[in-house]
Amino acid sequence: MGRKRILRRQQHGSAWHWKQTDAWYYTLPGTKKRMPLFDENGERVRGRHNHAAALQALAKVKVTLADDGVFPGEWIVARVCSDYLQYCEQGAKKGTISVTHWKAAQAWLNDLCAFCGALPVAQLKKGHVTSWIEKHSTWRSTETHRSVISVVLAAFNRAEEMFGVTSPLKGLKKPAPKPRLQSISPEDEQTIFDNLEPQFRNFLFAAIHTGLRPFCELALLKAEHIERTPRGMMWRVYSTKTKKTRKIPVRPEVAKLVETLLKEAPPGSNLPIFRNTKGRPWKRMTGVVRFVGLRKKLKWNLDSTRSKYTCYTCRHTFVHRMLSGYWTDGKGCSIETVAELIGDTPKVAFEHYGREWGQHYQAPLWAAIGEPLSVSPPKKPANKPKQPKRKPR
């Protein structure tokens, strides 16, 4: 004989009474979040005897949702994406979310909606997202896959946090991050400087010698962020990525260049120190176009190593030179020091640079255990890349 069926409470979308608060609620289908019901005076419907008033309040809620073009409780993929894009747009206007993230999310989520936007959230599987990503042959980099999956997960996590919509993508793994081993050699650095106009040359020179994120930190630097101390120049750097400010010292050659550029961007001018040929701040797209043109000009796009050079490689170059002691006669600094200079946590800095860098550059490892090198280390080039000079007008 089968077990007697246990009666459950009403289905989602119905009005139900919660004894703990003595108030009436409803739960939209596909969610786990309880929503209180209010009467005509804006007060919560209370008392178990007020079942009729609760049903009337629920009917008004359903009519309101229907007028807005939203079927009560129907959560589809497009609705999740739309809510997240509205959140990003508001954040971009307030300055709490970068415009770059908003634009990228807009492109990726709209593309996802074209693939499976009408699919109910409850029917969405991890395989749908994986198939959608694999459909794009131009998304070859694992870093692109990581960024796309991060945005998709953020959209569904927000829907779960704000509306109680259970995310079907829990456990969707992102590709493992690749270590940043790409670095510009001193010879290639000089070649780059010799083939650029002063504005872009100065920008890349500062990026290589400070390790700042090119477009969300260095491009926003102004005269008000400069501090002069007895030991040298320091910069107060605010990152729109981490939403944090740090103070870093800069090398003398960079300080000398900045002192020259400050004549055209003095305090109070509200001008960034590093500007493009049109006098505007450097933007990510502008920098990408300029570097792509440089690689084609030098025919580096045919080289397996140099074809990967970008503006962000300047940041990696700074880290590698700090770890190898490029400016300190071979005495490299710790990963904690590098993390403070570049605005990362020691954990992130080690994952990106330290772990694999130790396998490719082992001189510090031998020095740490007191063993000299069996062969003399290669000497640094006699002529380091020259500091960019401003051409007379």
Side-chain angles (χ1 to χ4, degrees):
M1 183 176 179
R3 296 176 56 185
K4 186 178 181 180
R5 182 182 177 184
I6 301 176
L7 295 178
R8 302 289 183 183
R9 72 182 185 191
Q10 302 179 73
Q11 296 181 353
H12 285 190
S14 303
W16 52 273
H17 180 262
W18 191 16
K19 187 177 180 180
Q20 183 174 341
T21 59
D22 192 30
W24 287 86
Y25 298 85
Y26 70 98
T27 307
L28 292 177
T31 74
K32 293 183 178 180
K33 188 174 182 180
R34 60 177 180 270
M35 306 295 293
L37 292 169
F38 299 91
D39 58 19
E40 296 179 353
N41 298 324
E43 300 291 338
R44 291 197 179 191
V45 180
R46 298 186 182 274
R48 193 172 184 85
H49 60 282
N50 281 329
H51 186 204
L55 292 178
Q56 184 179 4
L58 179 60
K60 291 182 178 179
V61 170
K62 291 183 176 180
V63 170
T64 302
L65 292 176
D67 290 342
D68 293 339
V70 180
F71 185 78
E74 185 180 12
W75 277 92
I76 59 176
V77 173
R79 184 176 175 185
V80 173
C81 296
S82 176
D83 174 77
Y84 185 73
L85 291 179
Q86 292 178 19
Y87 163 74
C88 290
E89 182 178 7
Q90 295 173 1
K93 293 179 180 179
K94 296 178 181 178
T96 57
I97 294 179
S98 67
V99 177
T100 304
H101 175 80
W102 171 38
K103 295 296 183 181
Q106 194 174 36
W108 292 333
L109 293 182
N110 283 335
D111 193 277
L112 176 63
C113 290
F115 181 77
C116 60
L119 190 67
V121 172
Q123 298 179 19
L124 181 67
K125 305 296 181 183
K126 301 182 185 70
H128 291 116
V129 178
T130 304
S131 301
W132 166 63
I133 293 177
E134 293 175 349
K135 187 173 68 75
H136 294 79
S137 58
T138 57
W139 293 356
R140 295 186 293 267
S141 171
T142 56
E143 293 302 317
T144 303
H145 293 184
R146 284 178 57 84
S147 301
V148 171
I149 293 176
S150 296
V151 169
V152 173
L153 289 177
F156 282 88
N157 289 342
R158 172 176 167 77
E160 181 172 13
E161 178 183 356
M162 302 301 297
F163 306 103
V165 182
T166 303
S167 173
L169 301 180
K170 289 182 179 179
L172 179 63
K173 295 183 178 180
K174 296 180 286 187
K178 289 186 176 181
R180 281 61 184 289
L181 298 177
Q182 198 68 37
S183 184
I184 301 175
S185 66
E187 296 80 7
D188 288 345
E189 179 185 355
Q190 188 60 56
T191 302
I192 291 173
F193 292 159
D194 292 340
N195 288 272
L196 290 178
E197 77 282 357
Q199 291 81 1
F200 200 39
R201 182 170 66 233
N202 293 338
F203 182 68
L204 295 184
F205 179 84
I208 289 177
H209 288 75
T210 62
L212 298 188
R213 297 177 177 92
F215 304 104
C216 68
E217 292 181 350
L218 183 60
L220 305 180
L221 189 71
K222 298 181 181 179
E224 289 75 13
H225 303 146
I226 305 299
E227 294 185 12
R228 298 170 179 82
T229 68
R231 296 194 64 177
M233 180 180 289
M234 299 192 74
W235 292 356
R236 285 185 292 105
V237 181
Y238 174 76
S239 174
T240 57
K241 179 179 180 179
T242 62
K243 303 296 185 295
K244 295 180 180 179
T245 301
R246 66 185 187 277
K247 186 182 293 187
I248 62 169
V250 297
R251 293 187 52 78
E253 55 267 33
V254 179
K256 182 178 179 181
L257 172 63
V258 170
E259 291 289 1
T260 304
L261 297 178
L262 283 175
K263 297 177 181 179
E264 298 182 1
S269 63
N270 199 33
L271 292 174
I273 295 176
F274 299 97
R275 303 184 301 280
N276 58 27
T277 54
K278 296 183 179 180
R280 300 171 183 172
W282 284 102
K283 298 292 185 182
R284 185 184 305 273
M285 184 57 64
T286 311
V288 169
V289 171
R290 289 290 294 109
F291 221 108
V292 169
L294 176 66
R295 291 200 301 262
K296 290 183 179 179
K297 177 181 179 181
L298 299 175
K299 296 183 179 180
W300 284 357
N301 56 321
L302 306 178
D303 188 276
S304 60
T305 300
R306 296 185 177 94
S307 62
K308 299 178 182 178
Y309 285 171
T310 64
C311 294
Y312 220 84
T313 310
C314 298
R315 177 175 169 87
H316 309 330
T317 302
F318 172 81
V319 174
H320 297 160
R321 292 182 180 182
M322 291 295 296
L323 293 174
S324 62
Y326 180 83
W327 292 297
T328 54
D329 297 326
K331 298 178 181 179
C333 67
S334 66
I335 197 70
E336 290 80 8
T337 302
V338 170
E340 180 66 24
L341 289 172
I342 65 176
D344 274 339
T345 63
K347 178 179 181 296
V348 172
F350 180 74
E351 290 177 349
H352 287 176
Y353 304 102
R355 179 185 292 119
E356 294 294 331
W357 179 251
Q359 302 302 319
H360 291 261
Y361 185 77
Q362 298 182 347
L365 304 181
W366 288 108
I369 63 174
E371 288 293 329
L373 294 172
S374 57
V375 294
S376 57
K379 296 182 180 180
K380 291 186 296 185
N383 298 322
K384 285 188 179 182
K386 298 180 182 179
Q387 176 182 348
K389 296 182 179 180
R390 294 175 59 82
K391 295 182 180 180
R393 294 184 177 180

